[in-house]
Amino acid sequence: MKAIHKLAGAVTASLGTIVTSAHADFALNMREGVTETSKSVYDLHMTIFWVCCVIGVVVFGAMIYSIINHRKSKGAVAAQFHESTTMEILWTVVPIVILVSMAVPATTTLLAMEDTSNADMSIKVTGIQWKWKYDYVDGEGAGVSFVSSLHPKHNEARLLGANADLTEFGDEYLLDVDNPLVIPTGQKIRFLLTAADVIHAWWVPDFGWKKDAIPGFINEAWTKVDEPGVYRGQCAELCGKDHGFMPIVVVAKSPEDYSKWVAEQQAAARAVEASAEREWNMDELMAKGEQVYTTNCAACHQANGQGLPPAFPPIAGSAIASGDANAHISLVLNGKPGTAMAAYRDILDDASLAAVLTFQRNSWGNAASTVQPADVKAAR
Amino acid sequence: MSTATATHDDHHDHGPAKGLMRWVTTTNHKDIGTLYLLFALVMFFVGGAMAMVIRAELFQPGMQVVDPQFFNSMTTVHALVMIFGAVMPAFTGLANWLIPMMIGAPDMALPRMNNFSFWILPFAFTLLLSTFFMAGGGPAAGWTLYPPLSLQMGDGFPFMIFALHLAGISSIMGSINIVVTILNMRAPGMTLMKMPLFVWTWLITAYLLIATMPVLAGAITMLLTDKFAGTSFFSAAGGGDPVMYQHIFWFFGHPEVYILILPAFGIISAIVPTFARKPLFGYSSMVYATASIAFLSFIVWAHHMFTVGMPVVAELFFMYATMMIAVPTGVKVFNWVSTMWKGAMTFETPMLFAIGFIIMFTIGGFSGLMLAIAPADFQYHDTYFVVAHFHYVLVTGAVYSIMAAAYYWLPKWTGNMYDEKLGKMHFWISTISVNVLFFPQHFLGLAGMPRRIPDYAVQFTDWNVISSVGGFVFGVSQLMFAYIVFKCIRGGDKATDQVWEGAKGLEWTLPSPPPYHTFTEAPQVK
């Protein structure tokens, strides 16, 4: 009953949105995108679309003419012809000619898209339920590495029954992340795509392609963006519960701005490394832990630690989170094969892991030992 | 000895047994056809209810109705139920009713197996739906069950696999029965090239089923052993390959797509000539086109997986092969239009659904041709553009042909005319709402909305609202169909033997309704 009531409310609200919406959201067509590749894909799309339209007009035109004129109520008498070899040959050969003329530009574009040679730099993209990890393999950013998840504000708004005001997010609802991927303009960037758990697909429509990220295998793709800007996309291969909530944001910066960004990242990485060397106090661990928990754990284990059993067990009152710290560390580091519980070994640094473990062990009625970054380092 | 013979002869004069046991123990092709069709109708509403949940959640951005995991299981089980529970059994039901009557045979060749292949189905689908009540919930990895995701399913996993095995066994037995019946039980004079196209398309479909169902069985059995027996067919960590599953699955999956549409071609090829009062144009080219489509269906599977990272040569091969399918499919459409050309058409409900089929299936064919262009597919793949494409070929294609067939042969099966006014109303409401439902999904996909997501960016709202409204109207209007069928079974104007002025073929020489046993003596076909 409550659901029906809600639905009725939603009907009125949505119809209202359509009528009052000031900007045209009734998008009809594919976007041209911002790369040479995306533009040739768009051209192919439009060509084949118009080919279909012309064939449609001819075929449906003949059919509609026949429906209007060859009806019994108009006194039509049925002819009895039932074959014509000429016609059969004609409508076999003509489509073949059309198809061959389509296949030529399609082949050219495909060969260009699949040519990842002579790249200026490479970025490794790892799909993880339900976030992306980016590793800068070479070039000036070599060694930069971070995880990119749905922006926490969006993450709250998308919970069942949140009733959040989505208009405040503009066109970015569910398409914003905490740490965007940053690339330099004017360079050919090779992406090396893989996954840690299940198959994902990395898709930014403005670049003109998507490619699967498959655990245990590495796929290649490339792009070259000339205009600085922010380009958004999302995971395109069903990857479990929060498949709809793992967006991709790419920020293209001029080479100078890109260098500045790399320097900032490297400084931040050094700070994180240094912070893992020292002893943390309880308040520090709890504050950082809550933040890490919200981004990484709450989707399954819920903000209140109660989980969604049986698929996602509770942490509140669990034997692991209130027992031996080493067992807890090991579970989070290595994940649990065959379930959605990921291995956080490569996703989080020592300090973040120590913080989130401490947070889990000392929240929602749990009261167990704290975990220090050194403990995590030792367990790795 | 003589008493035994007398008892035996006596048996033939019986009508059907009375009560429930008639349906449980029946070996009669007409009874089993009815059972299949009613089962398919029930499953159509079960799967349809799931579609309503999906459209309710997508009605607005934000999460309002169900949680994401349940949403995923709705999309997954909606597909499994509609494909294996509704469309395939409906076609098998039509085959059971019609093939013996069309080729002048007294019954199916293997009547006991026929009974068994139907009665497996209710158990299979009860098992499949029961997984919703198990720890971890129903299957939620998409109907294609791609590992490693599908291996994350909870306790219901082996039950789902077993349910699919049962449905597959049922299909294989049904197909063997159809092949044996067609090849051995045609009336004298009914040569292969005189068979109605519905019989031809089913003969080819049955071979596709026998060839591909074991492939699916193999793939899902490997999933089962990966989960429980420690094998790693599809796990890179153990030397396997998750993409290999996709190759095996789609080697089944693409022929499966044609299993869902070839019998539809046969139905349309029966209905259009009747209401155009003109023989089918290009009968033999229709047969060859069907056979070519069936052959091509085995060499195009990887067009479902252009984005998995195949070598570019493989991508080119699968792109070219897929584009080739447009040729024989085009031949079919051109032949139907030529059949209508210079005919004397009337537009009773079956003809309306057949014309609706030709137009909207062709639209689905156009988007299919667009999807075949591999570089463009890198944009279309896994978006709502694909969802729009396959619903145009499966709902306004396969399902429309089944509706057309039901209206066309109901008077023959029941002896009563259905309510023509309601039938036409059903057609127009369905056709308008189904386009409101699926056409905007092309736009959503092109604008960048991925499929299988429970929530979306607000710029996708407008078309989603419209699509959902179309969905609700389409869903509710199918209750009309159930009512019309029920009303027709109960009574109505009496149908003549020929029923339709332009109808030709052996089934129209029988009384309406046909007696329990027909063609006990084979008719002579000129």
Side-chain angles (χ1 to χ4, degrees), chain A residues 14 45 72 107 170 173 210, chain B residues 320 345 379-381 455 458:
Chain A
S14 300
H45 159 70
K72 200 184 173 201
T107 305
Y173 175 57
K210 63 178 68 71
Chain B
Y320 300 149
M345 278 185 276
Q379 285 280 39
Y380 307 137
H381 183 78
D455 194 4
V458 282

Side-chain angles (χ1 to χ4, degrees), chain B residues 471-483:
Chain B
F472 299 142
V473 176
F474 183 74
V476 172
S477 62
Q478 299 321 303
L479 293 171
M480 272 181 83
F481 177 68
Y483 173 74

Side-chain angles (χ1 to χ4, degrees), chain A residues 14 27 31 45 70 72 78-80 82 88 107 114 129 158 161 170-171 173 203 205 210 212 219 236 240, chain B residues 60 63 72 152 277-279 282 285 307-308 315 320 342 345 378-382 447 455 458-459 463 501:
Chain A
S14 300
R31 63 189 96 182
H45 159 70
H70 305 147
K72 200 184 173 201
Q80 290 302 311
H82 56 83
E88 299 279 3
T107 305
E114 295 290 355
Q129 283 173 321
R158 61 97 178 174
D171 277 359
Y173 175 57
W203 181 35
K210 63 178 68 71
D212 289 1
N219 272 333
Chain B
Q60 259 208 320
M63 301 296 299
N72 289 346
Q152 289 182 354
R277 292 167 181 75
K278 191 166 154 277
S285 73
T307 62
V308 297
E315 288 176 339
Y320 300 149
K342 290 201 186 297
M345 278 185 276
F378 291 156
Q379 285 280 39
Y380 307 137
H381 183 78
D382 267 331
D455 194 4
V458 282
Q459 58 269 38
W463 287 124
E501 190 188 28

